[in-house]
Amino acid sequence: MKENLRMVVVLTCITLLSGLILTATYEVTAPLIEAQQEAALAQAVENVLGQVTDLEQEIIDEKEYFLARKNDYRVAALVTSARGYGGPVDVMVGVNVSTEEIMEIKVVDHTETPGLGTVIEEERFVQHFRGLDFKDSYRDEVDIITGSTVSCVAVIRAVEEAVALIRLNILEEEVEIPEDLTPDEMREAFIAEFVGDEYEEFERDDLIVYQGPDVIALEGSKEGYIGPVKTILAVDIESTELIGIEVLDQEETPGLGDPITEEDFLQDFIGQSFQDDFRLVTEDPEPGEIEILSNATVSAEAVVDLVNHAFEVLRNMEAGGEF
Amino acid sequence: MSLLNDFKNGLWNEHPIFRLLLGMCPLLAVTTTAEYGLAMGLATLFVIICAEIVISLVRNLIPKKVRIPSFIIIIATFVTIVDYTMPAFFPEIADALSIFIPLIVTNCLILARVEAFASRVSLKRAIADALGMGIGFTWGLVLLAGVRELLGDGSVFGVQILGEGFPTWGIMGLPPGAYITLGIILAVINQIIRMRHKKTREVS
């Protein structure tokens, strides 16, 4: 009993002392750490905007904007983030709001592969952005460096988002912010748009079927270049035509495989009857044919295979008198 | 004499990295540049000295049954002090070492020395051991990190050493570079020791 008591007392004393010491250390260091963080941020702002006056911070939609004046110009900076190869890539983008130009960008945080992806911090990559006008896309303006495609594209996407946000919130233009919906949110929106509120959900031949009174949606995935490509499509029962298609989830190479998620590629599927399968062609697609995207062949095939598989299931369902 | 031996032990004979192979996690993770290696080594040095001093002082007060939790709390306290202090004064290094600072708690080198040594000996010997082990760990980290930085970046401590024409080895900045370098250093050190043994045997 005495020994037990001693153990309790000793451990209590040790933890108590430890707590006291740490509280004291925290009290001393917390303001210092905060000052360091502010200094680092101010330094980052200076890196992209240079010497400015009237620097102020503004928070719009939970995002921090740094607004300032430089000579007679209004300038702004903010940090945006995009998914790179090793994790998020955070980029601080400095823009001249008056002339609608990018002034300078700086990668503030990343976990890209040393020696490969780290090129995004270097002058030979960053220089491409200097002086570019405000645009929706910078894919054609910036040279992507071999061996670091994913990291470079991440920076480009972050810059695109930053420019869009500046145009929306500072210039008050109407622009679409590239939004990342989760697959579940996309599915929900897709079903609400095409199928409606009332539907029956069941599984059939590896596909999930959402059968509504007028429209059937089918969801499934096929193996792409890197991982499964999850696609959902909607077919009108009356006309047998495909009326909507969306890629819900994919892990394809950013900048190469991911055009399969874009409107340009997906619109060619619209209007096709499920009686006929799609074919992939290399050029000049006619109805019933889908043009292969260069550099994204495997990814495109995954979508086409899934659509053809869904059509087959639909034909079987029709033959079975299920609708 | 014995104090000097306690100190020298950690520097070579029982070198924590190259002889005992302890603390491999921070070793492999943070040794991309000599500066980070040195910072990690000094952080560990601070923790091991403070922990060995305190534990040697209170060794007779701590009941045997709860000694390991007590040791861990004491070690964790000093690690957390480092974790608070580093970003306050060296934000860039703290950023680079990030998670590996709190992980010093789990560095088996420290717990092993505390349990096997500091909790059994006088304060003087504990300090000598902590200094030896801490400095040994530090020079091991700096050596490994220096080789990696030299081959991976052409520099050591940020000072360019190899000329512009040197094709830097990207792999040295990655985890495999740490394994390869460590393996080669271990092989060399084992060879040196084997040759020494041979010599002493021949002499006798």
Side-chain angles (χ1 to χ4, degrees):
Chain A
M1 191 59 218
K2 207 183 148 215
E3 200 199 338
N4 281 353
L5 193 67
R6 196 168 151 229
M7 289 198 293
V8 173
V9 171
V10 168
L11 270 182
T12 312
C13 289
I14 291 177
T15 40
L16 209 64
L17 265 175
S18 161
L20 277 175
I21 293 171
L22 288 182
T23 313
T25 319
Y26 179 79
E27 289 297 329
V28 175
T29 54
L32 291 171
I33 293 174
E34 203 173 311
Q36 290 281 10
Q37 283 169 344
E38 270 171 30
L41 207 57
Q43 182 62 46
V45 171
E46 198 186 314
N47 282 339
V48 293
L49 296 180
Q51 289 296 333
V52 294
T53 50
D54 305 334
L55 180 68
E56 54 184 81
Q57 285 180 40
E58 195 175 323
I59 298 193
I60 306 172
D61 285 345
E62 292 173 16
K63 199 149 196 84
E64 216 174 354
Y65 293 75
F66 300 91
L67 306 173
R69 300 209 141 264
K70 189 181 174 90
N71 304 327
D72 294 332
Y73 297 123
R74 282 172 72 202
V75 293
L78 79 161
V79 177
T80 48
S81 177
R83 186 168 61 99
Y85 187 76
V89 175
D90 294 344
V91 185
M92 178 163 259
V93 183
V95 298
N96 187 326
V97 181
S98 308
T99 59
E100 305 199 358
E101 272 177 9
I102 297 176
M103 292 170 67
E104 180 73 86
I105 69 155
K106 186 171 166 60
V107 175
V108 285
D109 199 15
H110 71 85
T111 44
E112 303 302 279
T113 318
L116 292 175
T118 43
V119 69
I120 55 175
E121 291 182 315
E122 291 171 20
E123 174 64 18
R124 64 180 168 126
F125 176 67
V126 176
Q127 59 169 8
H128 295 297
F129 290 94
R130 226 164 272 149
L132 291 178
D133 292 336
F134 283 6
K135 278 191 193 139
D136 293 332
S137 167
Y138 293 101
R139 303 273 164 113
D140 300 331
E141 311 276 339
V142 175
D143 275 349
I144 287 171
I145 289 164
T146 318
S148 350
T149 312
V150 180
S151 314
C152 292
V153 170
V155 175
I156 295 175
R157 289 161 95 163
V159 172
E160 285 168 358
E161 194 194 338
V163 169
L165 283 169
I166 293 278
R167 290 166 80 178
L168 181 75
N169 291 323
I170 310 295
L171 290 171
E172 293 176 357
E173 289 176 28
E174 276 189 24
V175 285
E176 251 182 67
I177 302 298
E179 233 182 308
D180 284 342
L181 290 177
T182 68
D184 288 338
E185 289 166 344
M186 282 169 73
R187 176 190 303 112
E188 207 174 292
F190 186 90
I191 292 173
E193 182 182 346
F194 291 104
V195 185
D197 298 334
E198 280 177 44
Y199 58 86
E200 207 183 317
E201 183 181 334
F202 54 91
E203 276 184 44
R204 176 72 51 90
D205 293 340
D206 302 333
L207 297 180
I208 305 168
V209 183
Y210 308 92
Q211 183 167 8
D214 307 314
V215 173
I216 300 180
L218 299 99
E219 176 192 336
S221 70
K222 290 277 180 197
E223 209 54 36
Y225 185 72
I226 293 178
V229 176
K230 199 184 261 188
T231 312
I232 189 165
L233 57 105
V235 169
D236 186 86
I237 296 172
E238 178 79 28
S239 68
T240 75
E241 277 173 12
L242 191 150
I243 52 173
I245 180 164
E246 194 95 59
V247 174
L248 296 179
D249 200 9
Q250 50 96 10
E251 298 159 24
E252 305 302 87
T253 320
L256 292 177
D258 63 4
I260 57 168
T261 62
E262 286 167 18
E263 189 74 26
D264 280 353
F265 171 70
L266 293 173
Q267 67 182 11
D268 288 346
F269 288 93
I270 307 288
Q272 173 88 343
S273 160
F274 67 72
Q275 307 296 352
D276 302 306
D277 280 354
F278 279 104
R279 289 177 304 279
L280 273 169
V281 296
T282 46
E283 54 190 351
D284 299 332
E286 289 172 15
E289 294 177 342
I290 299 293
E291 188 178 347
I292 293 176
L293 302 160
S294 51
N295 290 334
T297 317
V298 182
S299 315
E301 266 172 11
V303 179
V304 171
D305 283 353
L306 190 274
V307 173
N308 286 340
H309 179 49
F311 281 4
E312 194 189 327
V313 170
L314 283 167
R315 289 196 292 268
N316 291 338
M317 284 173 69
E318 193 187 30
E322 288 184 58
F323 55 80
Chain B
M1 195 57 217
S2 119
L3 270 188
L4 194 63
N5 275 341
D6 285 339
F7 173 65
K8 279 187 356 199
N9 224 359
L11 296 185
W12 181 259
N13 285 343
E14 284 183 31
H15 189 277
I17 296 172
F18 301 127
R19 305 300 298 156
L20 305 180
L21 291 173
L22 290 175
M24 289 294 113
C25 165
L27 173 82
L28 297 170
V30 304
T31 54
T32 45
T33 70
E35 189 188 9
Y36 298 158
L38 181 66
M40 187 69 194
L42 293 181
T44 313
L45 178 68
F46 169 80
V47 173
I48 197 170
I49 289 176
C50 295
E52 286 210 35
I53 289 176
V54 170
I55 286 164
S56 174
L57 283 175
V58 300
R59 66 186 189 278
N60 295 326
L61 298 176
I62 296 176
K64 265 254 162 316
K65 279 183 188 162
V66 291
R67 70 184 192 288
I68 300 289
S70 310
F71 296 165
I72 293 282
I73 295 167
I74 292 167
I75 295 169
T77 306
F78 291 113
V79 171
T80 313
I81 290 175
V82 174
D83 195 31
Y84 285 161
T85 315
M86 209 177 244
F89 296 101
F90 311 102
E92 265 170 42
I93 294 179
D95 235 22
L97 301 184
S98 61
I99 185 69
F100 294 101
I101 291 295
L103 279 180
I104 296 176
V105 180
T106 60
N107 189 330
C108 28
L109 165 67
I110 297 172
L111 188 61
R113 292 323 292 177
V114 158
E115 156 74 359
F117 207 83
S119 65
R120 290 154 211 256
V121 299
S122 68
L123 180 61
K124 271 190 280 180
R125 292 193 64 194
I127 295 176
D129 178 72
L131 278 172
M133 284 293 160
I135 294 172
F137 191 66
T138 309
W139 83 250
L141 282 180
V142 172
L143 174 67
L144 186 65
V147 172
R148 288 180 69 189
E149 191 186 345
L150 183 68
L151 298 175
D153 264 346
S155 57
V156 172
F157 282 109
V159 180
Q160 200 70 30
I161 288 185
L162 298 174
E164 281 289 303
F166 178 75
T168 52
W169 304 7
I171 194 173
M172 281 300 163
L174 302 172
Y179 282 105
I180 294 168
T181 317
L182 177 65
I184 293 172
I185 294 177
L186 282 178
V188 170
I189 287 181
N190 281 339
Q191 190 59 33
I192 293 173
I193 287 168
R194 199 171 299 156
M195 277 158 62
R196 271 197 191 167
H197 272 296
K198 228 176 172 182
K199 228 182 236 170
T200 47
R201 232 177 279 147
E202 275 164 16
V203 171
S204 58

PDB file of all heavy atoms in Angstrom, chain A residues 268-296:
ATOM      1  N   ASP A 268     -18.949  14.978 -76.298  1.00  0.00           N
ATOM      2  CA  ASP A 268     -19.117  14.102 -77.452  1.00  0.00           C
ATOM      3  C   ASP A 268     -19.962  12.874 -77.131  1.00  0.00           C
ATOM      4  O   ASP A 268     -20.424  12.177 -78.028  1.00  0.00           O
ATOM      5  CB  ASP A 268     -17.742  13.640 -77.967  1.00  0.00           C
ATOM      6  CG  ASP A 268     -17.005  14.791 -78.652  1.00  0.00           C
ATOM      7  OD1 ASP A 268     -17.666  15.808 -78.950  1.00  0.00           O
ATOM      8  OD2 ASP A 268     -15.789  14.672 -78.867  1.00  0.00           O
ATOM      9  N   PHE A 269     -20.118  12.582 -75.838  1.00  0.00           N
ATOM     10  CA  PHE A 269     -20.932  11.419 -75.474  1.00  0.00           C
ATOM     11  C   PHE A 269     -22.429  11.727 -75.525  1.00  0.00           C
ATOM     12  O   PHE A 269     -23.253  10.840 -75.676  1.00  0.00           O
ATOM     13  CB  PHE A 269     -20.593  10.971 -74.036  1.00  0.00           C
ATOM     14  CG  PHE A 269     -19.245  10.321 -73.904  1.00  0.00           C
ATOM     15  CD1 PHE A 269     -18.126  11.068 -73.573  1.00  0.00           C
ATOM     16  CD2 PHE A 269     -19.104   8.949 -74.113  1.00  0.00           C
ATOM     17  CE1 PHE A 269     -16.895  10.478 -73.449  1.00  0.00           C
ATOM     18  CE2 PHE A 269     -17.862   8.353 -73.978  1.00  0.00           C
ATOM     19  CZ  PHE A 269     -16.756   9.110 -73.649  1.00  0.00           C
ATOM     20  N   ILE A 270     -22.752  13.007 -75.379  1.00  0.00           N
ATOM     21  CA  ILE A 270     -24.154  13.395 -75.225  1.00  0.00           C
ATOM     22  C   ILE A 270     -24.937  13.099 -76.512  1.00  0.00           C
ATOM     23  O   ILE A 270     -24.463  13.372 -77.607  1.00  0.00           O
ATOM     24  CB  ILE A 270     -24.263  14.909 -74.887  1.00  0.00           C
ATOM     25  CG1 ILE A 270     -23.385  15.255 -73.688  1.00  0.00           C
ATOM     26  CG2 ILE A 270     -25.708  15.329 -74.668  1.00  0.00           C
ATOM     27  CD1 ILE A 270     -23.864  14.773 -72.359  1.00  0.00           C
ATOM     28  N   GLY A 271     -26.122  12.577 -76.359  1.00  0.00           N
ATOM     29  CA  GLY A 271     -27.007  12.381 -77.505  1.00  0.00           C
ATOM     30  C   GLY A 271     -26.956  10.988 -78.090  1.00  0.00           C
ATOM     31  O   GLY A 271     -27.825  10.613 -78.881  1.00  0.00           O
ATOM     32  N   GLN A 272     -25.970  10.194 -77.706  1.00  0.00           N
ATOM     33  CA  GLN A 272     -25.841   8.845 -78.250  1.00  0.00           C
ATOM     34  C   GLN A 272     -26.906   7.930 -77.632  1.00  0.00           C
ATOM     35  O   GLN A 272     -27.166   7.984 -76.437  1.00  0.00           O
ATOM     36  CB  GLN A 272     -24.433   8.318 -77.922  1.00  0.00           C
ATOM     37  CG  GLN A 272     -24.209   6.875 -78.268  1.00  0.00           C
ATOM     38  CD  GLN A 272     -23.730   6.715 -79.701  1.00  0.00           C
ATOM     39  OE1 GLN A 272     -23.857   7.607 -80.522  1.00  0.00           O
ATOM     40  NE2 GLN A 272     -23.189   5.550 -79.993  1.00  0.00           N
ATOM     41  N   SER A 273     -27.508   7.076 -78.468  1.00  0.00           N
ATOM     42  CA  SER A 273     -28.464   6.097 -77.947  1.00  0.00           C
ATOM     43  C   SER A 273     -27.701   4.919 -77.359  1.00  0.00           C
ATOM     44  O   SER A 273     -26.630   4.564 -77.828  1.00  0.00           O
ATOM     45  CB  SER A 273     -29.364   5.594 -79.073  1.00  0.00           C
ATOM     46  OG  SER A 273     -29.947   4.370 -78.693  1.00  0.00           O
ATOM     47  N   PHE A 274     -28.275   4.335 -76.307  1.00  0.00           N
ATOM     48  CA  PHE A 274     -27.552   3.227 -75.681  1.00  0.00           C
ATOM     49  C   PHE A 274     -27.605   1.943 -76.503  1.00  0.00           C
ATOM     50  O   PHE A 274     -27.063   0.932 -76.130  1.00  0.00           O
ATOM     51  CB  PHE A 274     -28.020   3.006 -74.227  1.00  0.00           C
ATOM     52  CG  PHE A 274     -29.422   2.516 -74.056  1.00  0.00           C
ATOM     53  CD1 PHE A 274     -29.758   1.201 -74.378  1.00  0.00           C
ATOM     54  CD2 PHE A 274     -30.404   3.350 -73.514  1.00  0.00           C
ATOM     55  CE1 PHE A 274     -31.041   0.746 -74.192  1.00  0.00           C
ATOM     56  CE2 PHE A 274     -31.682   2.894 -73.325  1.00  0.00           C
ATOM     57  CZ  PHE A 274     -32.018   1.593 -73.671  1.00  0.00           C
ATOM     58  N   GLN A 275     -28.264   2.007 -77.656  1.00  0.00           N
ATOM     59  CA  GLN A 275     -28.281   0.824 -78.513  1.00  0.00           C
ATOM     60  C   GLN A 275     -26.919   0.595 -79.179  1.00  0.00           C
ATOM     61  O   GLN A 275     -26.584  -0.509 -79.571  1.00  0.00           O
ATOM     62  CB  GLN A 275     -29.355   0.962 -79.608  1.00  0.00           C
ATOM     63  CG  GLN A 275     -30.747   1.281 -79.100  1.00  0.00           C
ATOM     64  CD  GLN A 275     -31.333   0.181 -78.222  1.00  0.00           C
ATOM     65  OE1 GLN A 275     -30.774  -0.898 -78.089  1.00  0.00           O
ATOM     66  NE2 GLN A 275     -32.466   0.464 -77.592  1.00  0.00           N
ATOM     67  N   ASP A 276     -26.161   1.687 -79.360  1.00  0.00           N
ATOM     68  CA  ASP A 276     -24.891   1.566 -80.082  1.00  0.00           C
ATOM     69  C   ASP A 276     -23.714   1.913 -79.177  1.00  0.00           C
ATOM     70  O   ASP A 276     -23.742   2.917 -78.474  1.00  0.00           O
ATOM     71  CB  ASP A 276     -24.862   2.537 -81.267  1.00  0.00           C
ATOM     72  CG  ASP A 276     -26.030   2.267 -82.200  1.00  0.00           C
ATOM     73  OD1 ASP A 276     -26.189   1.119 -82.630  1.00  0.00           O
ATOM     74  OD2 ASP A 276     -26.788   3.231 -82.438  1.00  0.00           O
ATOM     75  N   ASP A 277     -22.655   1.109 -79.256  1.00  0.00           N
ATOM     76  CA  ASP A 277     -21.464   1.383 -78.467  1.00  0.00           C
ATOM     77  C   ASP A 277     -20.642   2.518 -79.086  1.00  0.00           C
ATOM     78  O   ASP A 277     -20.782   2.820 -80.264  1.00  0.00           O
ATOM     79  CB  ASP A 277     -20.578   0.132 -78.394  1.00  0.00           C
ATOM     80  CG  ASP A 277     -21.112  -0.831 -77.359  1.00  0.00           C
ATOM     81  OD1 ASP A 277     -22.071  -0.457 -76.645  1.00  0.00           O
ATOM     82  OD2 ASP A 277     -20.579  -1.939 -77.265  1.00  0.00           O
ATOM     83  N   PHE A 278     -19.791   3.078 -78.265  1.00  0.00           N
ATOM     84  CA  PHE A 278     -18.857   4.095 -78.759  1.00  0.00           C
ATOM     85  C   PHE A 278     -17.593   3.429 -79.275  1.00  0.00           C
ATOM     86  O   PHE A 278     -17.181   2.380 -78.802  1.00  0.00           O
ATOM     87  CB  PHE A 278     -18.468   5.049 -77.622  1.00  0.00           C
ATOM     88  CG  PHE A 278     -19.482   6.103 -77.355  1.00  0.00           C
ATOM     89  CD1 PHE A 278     -20.324   6.002 -76.258  1.00  0.00           C
ATOM     90  CD2 PHE A 278     -19.609   7.185 -78.207  1.00  0.00           C
ATOM     91  CE1 PHE A 278     -21.273   6.978 -76.013  1.00  0.00           C
ATOM     92  CE2 PHE A 278     -20.547   8.175 -77.956  1.00  0.00           C
ATOM     93  CZ  PHE A 278     -21.387   8.064 -76.859  1.00  0.00           C
ATOM     94  N   ARG A 279     -16.978   4.072 -80.237  1.00  0.00           N
ATOM     95  CA  ARG A 279     -15.657   3.644 -80.696  1.00  0.00           C
ATOM     96  C   ARG A 279     -14.684   4.797 -80.466  1.00  0.00           C
ATOM     97  O   ARG A 279     -15.056   5.963 -80.534  1.00  0.00           O
ATOM     98  CB  ARG A 279     -15.697   3.319 -82.193  1.00  0.00           C
ATOM     99  CG  ARG A 279     -16.445   2.054 -82.556  1.00  0.00           C
ATOM    100  CD  ARG A 279     -16.488   1.859 -84.065  1.00  0.00           C
ATOM    101  NE  ARG A 279     -17.065   3.013 -84.754  1.00  0.00           N
ATOM    102  CZ  ARG A 279     -18.391   3.229 -84.856  1.00  0.00           C
ATOM    103  NH1 ARG A 279     -19.252   2.394 -84.310  1.00  0.00           N
ATOM    104  NH2 ARG A 279     -18.839   4.280 -85.494  1.00  0.00           N
ATOM    105  N   LEU A 280     -13.431   4.443 -80.208  1.00  0.00           N
ATOM    106  CA  LEU A 280     -12.400   5.474 -80.080  1.00  0.00           C
ATOM    107  C   LEU A 280     -11.720   5.658 -81.429  1.00  0.00           C
ATOM    108  O   LEU A 280     -11.333   4.678 -82.063  1.00  0.00           O
ATOM    109  CB  LEU A 280     -11.343   5.040 -79.062  1.00  0.00           C
ATOM    110  CG  LEU A 280     -11.604   5.365 -77.597  1.00  0.00           C
ATOM    111  CD1 LEU A 280     -10.611   4.632 -76.729  1.00  0.00           C
ATOM    112  CD2 LEU A 280     -11.524   6.861 -77.346  1.00  0.00           C
ATOM    113  N   VAL A 281     -11.606   6.888 -81.893  1.00  0.00           N
ATOM    114  CA  VAL A 281     -10.894   7.150 -83.145  1.00  0.00           C
ATOM    115  C   VAL A 281      -9.802   8.181 -82.879  1.00  0.00           C
ATOM    116  O   VAL A 281      -9.842   8.901 -81.887  1.00  0.00           O
ATOM    117  CB  VAL A 281     -11.849   7.677 -84.251  1.00  0.00           C
ATOM    118  CG1 VAL A 281     -12.868   6.618 -84.607  1.00  0.00           C
ATOM    119  CG2 VAL A 281     -12.534   8.958 -83.794  1.00  0.00           C
ATOM    120  N   THR A 282      -8.840   8.225 -83.818  1.00  0.00           N
ATOM    121  CA  THR A 282      -7.721   9.142 -83.583  1.00  0.00           C
ATOM    122  C   THR A 282      -8.028  10.559 -84.057  1.00  0.00           C
ATOM    123  O   THR A 282      -7.458  11.516 -83.553  1.00  0.00           O
ATOM    124  CB  THR A 282      -6.449   8.642 -84.284  1.00  0.00           C
ATOM    125  OG1 THR A 282      -6.805   8.253 -85.609  1.00  0.00           O
ATOM    126  CG2 THR A 282      -5.850   7.477 -83.545  1.00  0.00           C
ATOM    127  N   GLU A 283      -8.900  10.696 -85.061  1.00  0.00           N
ATOM    128  CA  GLU A 283      -9.233  12.061 -85.489  1.00  0.00           C
ATOM    129  C   GLU A 283     -10.627  12.128 -86.106  1.00  0.00           C
ATOM    130  O   GLU A 283     -11.228  11.101 -86.416  1.00  0.00           O
ATOM    131  CB  GLU A 283      -8.179  12.578 -86.486  1.00  0.00           C
ATOM    132  CG  GLU A 283      -7.968  11.660 -87.657  1.00  0.00           C
ATOM    133  CD  GLU A 283      -6.755  12.073 -88.489  1.00  0.00           C
ATOM    134  OE1 GLU A 283      -6.213  13.147 -88.244  1.00  0.00           O
ATOM    135  OE2 GLU A 283      -6.378  11.310 -89.381  1.00  0.00           O
ATOM    136  N   ASP A 284     -11.114  13.332 -86.280  1.00  0.00           N
ATOM    137  CA  ASP A 284     -12.410  13.623 -86.871  1.00  0.00           C
ATOM    138  C   ASP A 284     -13.517  12.699 -86.378  1.00  0.00           C
ATOM    139  O   ASP A 284     -14.067  11.898 -87.145  1.00  0.00           O
ATOM    140  CB  ASP A 284     -12.327  13.490 -88.415  1.00  0.00           C
ATOM    141  CG  ASP A 284     -11.323  14.465 -88.988  1.00  0.00           C
ATOM    142  OD1 ASP A 284     -11.131  15.521 -88.355  1.00  0.00           O
ATOM    143  OD2 ASP A 284     -10.723  14.167 -90.030  1.00  0.00           O
ATOM    144  N   PRO A 285     -13.890  12.800 -85.147  1.00  0.00           N
ATOM    145  CA  PRO A 285     -14.936  11.909 -84.647  1.00  0.00           C
ATOM    146  C   PRO A 285     -16.293  12.232 -85.266  1.00  0.00           C
ATOM    147  O   PRO A 285     -16.620  13.397 -85.466  1.00  0.00           O
ATOM    148  CB  PRO A 285     -14.943  12.200 -83.143  1.00  0.00           C
ATOM    149  CG  PRO A 285     -14.384  13.565 -83.012  1.00  0.00           C
ATOM    150  CD  PRO A 285     -13.440  13.763 -84.143  1.00  0.00           C
ATOM    151  N   GLU A 286     -17.017  11.189 -85.626  1.00  0.00           N
ATOM    152  CA  GLU A 286     -18.389  11.359 -86.072  1.00  0.00           C
ATOM    153  C   GLU A 286     -19.275  10.928 -84.912  1.00  0.00           C
ATOM    154  O   GLU A 286     -18.776  10.417 -83.919  1.00  0.00           O
ATOM    155  CB  GLU A 286     -18.636  10.473 -87.301  1.00  0.00           C
ATOM    156  CG  GLU A 286     -17.902  11.019 -88.506  1.00  0.00           C
ATOM    157  CD  GLU A 286     -17.963  10.073 -89.694  1.00  0.00           C
ATOM    158  OE1 GLU A 286     -18.801   9.154 -89.650  1.00  0.00           O
ATOM    159  OE2 GLU A 286     -17.181  10.274 -90.620  1.00  0.00           O
ATOM    160  N   PRO A 287     -20.592  11.129 -85.048  1.00  0.00           N
ATOM    161  CA  PRO A 287     -21.455  10.651 -83.966  1.00  0.00           C
ATOM    162  C   PRO A 287     -21.176   9.174 -83.688  1.00  0.00           C
ATOM    163  O   PRO A 287     -21.019   8.385 -84.617  1.00  0.00           O
ATOM    164  CB  PRO A 287     -22.862  10.851 -84.525  1.00  0.00           C
ATOM    165  CG  PRO A 287     -22.713  11.986 -85.474  1.00  0.00           C
ATOM    166  CD  PRO A 287     -21.339  11.866 -86.067  1.00  0.00           C
ATOM    167  N   GLY A 288     -21.105   8.817 -82.441  1.00  0.00           N
ATOM    168  CA  GLY A 288     -20.806   7.434 -82.094  1.00  0.00           C
ATOM    169  C   GLY A 288     -19.327   7.176 -81.943  1.00  0.00           C
ATOM    170  O   GLY A 288     -18.911   6.073 -81.625  1.00  0.00           O
ATOM    171  N   GLU A 289     -18.542   8.208 -82.201  1.00  0.00           N
ATOM    172  CA  GLU A 289     -17.100   8.047 -82.064  1.00  0.00           C
ATOM    173  C   GLU A 289     -16.551   9.099 -81.095  1.00  0.00           C
ATOM    174  O   GLU A 289     -17.055  10.212 -81.015  1.00  0.00           O
ATOM    175  CB  GLU A 289     -16.411   8.198 -83.421  1.00  0.00           C
ATOM    176  CG  GLU A 289     -16.772   7.087 -84.369  1.00  0.00           C
ATOM    177  CD  GLU A 289     -16.148   7.260 -85.746  1.00  0.00           C
ATOM    178  OE1 GLU A 289     -15.722   8.385 -86.082  1.00  0.00           O
ATOM    179  OE2 GLU A 289     -16.102   6.258 -86.466  1.00  0.00           O
ATOM    180  N   ILE A 290     -15.512   8.694 -80.370  1.00  0.00           N
ATOM    181  CA  ILE A 290     -14.888   9.617 -79.434  1.00  0.00           C
ATOM    182  C   ILE A 290     -13.435   9.768 -79.844  1.00  0.00           C
ATOM    183  O   ILE A 290     -12.748   8.791 -80.122  1.00  0.00           O
ATOM    184  CB  ILE A 290     -14.944   9.051 -78.001  1.00  0.00           C
ATOM    185  CG1 ILE A 290     -16.376   8.846 -77.547  1.00  0.00           C
ATOM    186  CG2 ILE A 290     -14.180   9.947 -77.035  1.00  0.00           C
ATOM    187  CD1 ILE A 290     -17.176  10.111 -77.355  1.00  0.00           C
ATOM    188  N   GLU A 291     -12.989  11.006 -79.895  1.00  0.00           N
ATOM    189  CA  GLU A 291     -11.611  11.230 -80.301  1.00  0.00           C
ATOM    190  C   GLU A 291     -10.670  10.962 -79.131  1.00  0.00           C
ATOM    191  O   GLU A 291     -10.892  11.410 -78.003  1.00  0.00           O
ATOM    192  CB  GLU A 291     -11.440  12.671 -80.777  1.00  0.00           C
ATOM    193  CG  GLU A 291     -10.081  12.909 -81.386  1.00  0.00           C
ATOM    194  CD  GLU A 291      -9.936  14.331 -81.905  1.00  0.00           C
ATOM    195  OE1 GLU A 291     -10.947  15.036 -82.015  1.00  0.00           O
ATOM    196  OE2 GLU A 291      -8.797  14.721 -82.185  1.00  0.00           O
ATOM    197  N   ILE A 292      -9.616  10.210 -79.437  1.00  0.00           N
ATOM    198  CA  ILE A 292      -8.611   9.938 -78.401  1.00  0.00           C
ATOM    199  C   ILE A 292      -7.882  11.226 -78.075  1.00  0.00           C
ATOM    200  O   ILE A 292      -7.504  11.984 -78.974  1.00  0.00           O
ATOM    201  CB  ILE A 292      -7.600   8.885 -78.917  1.00  0.00           C
ATOM    202  CG1 ILE A 292      -8.299   7.545 -79.087  1.00  0.00           C
ATOM    203  CG2 ILE A 292      -6.428   8.774 -77.972  1.00  0.00           C
ATOM    204  CD1 ILE A 292      -7.414   6.490 -79.681  1.00  0.00           C
ATOM    205  N   LEU A 293      -7.713  11.475 -76.807  1.00  0.00           N
ATOM    206  CA  LEU A 293      -6.933  12.647 -76.400  1.00  0.00           C
ATOM    207  C   LEU A 293      -5.477  12.237 -76.392  1.00  0.00           C
ATOM    208  O   LEU A 293      -5.117  11.235 -75.779  1.00  0.00           O
ATOM    209  CB  LEU A 293      -7.345  13.080 -75.000  1.00  0.00           C
ATOM    210  CG  LEU A 293      -8.809  13.433 -74.804  1.00  0.00           C
ATOM    211  CD1 LEU A 293      -9.177  13.368 -73.344  1.00  0.00           C
ATOM    212  CD2 LEU A 293      -9.080  14.815 -75.357  1.00  0.00           C
ATOM    213  N   SER A 294      -4.634  13.006 -77.064  1.00  0.00           N
ATOM    214  CA  SER A 294      -3.220  12.638 -77.041  1.00  0.00           C
ATOM    215  C   SER A 294      -2.718  12.745 -75.606  1.00  0.00           C
ATOM    216  O   SER A 294      -3.139  13.621 -74.853  1.00  0.00           O
ATOM    217  CB  SER A 294      -2.407  13.538 -77.963  1.00  0.00           C
ATOM    218  OG  SER A 294      -2.680  14.870 -77.674  1.00  0.00           O
ATOM    219  N   ASN A 295      -1.874  11.838 -75.225  1.00  0.00           N
ATOM    220  CA  ASN A 295      -1.330  11.752 -73.866  1.00  0.00           C
ATOM    221  C   ASN A 295      -2.345  11.268 -72.839  1.00  0.00           C
ATOM    222  O   ASN A 295      -2.032  11.174 -71.659  1.00  0.00           O
ATOM    223  CB  ASN A 295      -0.778  13.092 -73.365  1.00  0.00           C
ATOM    224  CG  ASN A 295       0.472  13.466 -74.100  1.00  0.00           C
ATOM    225  OD1 ASN A 295       1.178  12.601 -74.600  1.00  0.00           O
ATOM    226  ND2 ASN A 295       0.736  14.747 -74.193  1.00  0.00           N
ATOM    227  N   ALA A 296      -3.576  11.036 -73.259  1.00  0.00           N
ATOM    228  CA  ALA A 296      -4.559  10.604 -72.267  1.00  0.00           C
ATOM    229  C   ALA A 296      -5.340   9.400 -72.784  1.00  0.00           C
ATOM    230  O   ALA A 296      -6.489   9.191 -72.430  1.00  0.00           O
ATOM    231  CB  ALA A 296      -5.506  11.745 -71.924  1.00  0.00           C
TER     232      ALA A 296
END
